[in-house]
């Protein structure tokens, strides 16, 4: 029996895997924002507004 290569399917499978890994890497690249003091930010805006 002859063995046939499914080249298109292999290429598609590789592309799907690469897209998934790149999407995961893209999500991990974004830094997480922690310990944001909202009141301090509001106060800084008020100070800038008062300075003008």
């Amino acid at each position: 029996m002859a063995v046939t290569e499914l080249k298109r399917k292999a290429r598609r499978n590789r592309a799907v895997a690469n897209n998934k890994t790149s999407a995961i890497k893209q999500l991990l690249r974004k830094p997480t924002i922690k310990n944001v003091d909202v009141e301090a930010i509001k106060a800084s805006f008020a100070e800038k507004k008062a300075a003008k």
Side-chain angles (χ1 to χ4, degrees):
M1 291 181 76
V3 177
T4 59
E5 285 184 57
L6 299 173
K7 294 179 182 177
R8 252 185 301 153
K9 186 175 174 103
R11 211 178 316 135
R12 193 181 319 127
N13 287 341
R14 234 176 268 127
V16 168
N18 287 337
N19 289 343
K20 282 183 181 179
T21 53
S22 64
I24 290 170
K25 285 180 182 178
Q26 181 68 29
L27 289 171
L28 292 173
R29 192 175 293 136
K30 296 175 184 170
T32 56
I33 300 172
K34 295 180 181 177
N35 299 330
V36 177
D37 190 6
V38 177
E39 297 303 321
I41 294 171
K42 287 181 183 177
S44 69
F45 279 116
E47 289 172 10
K48 288 178 186 175
K49 192 173 184 182
K52 286 186 178 180

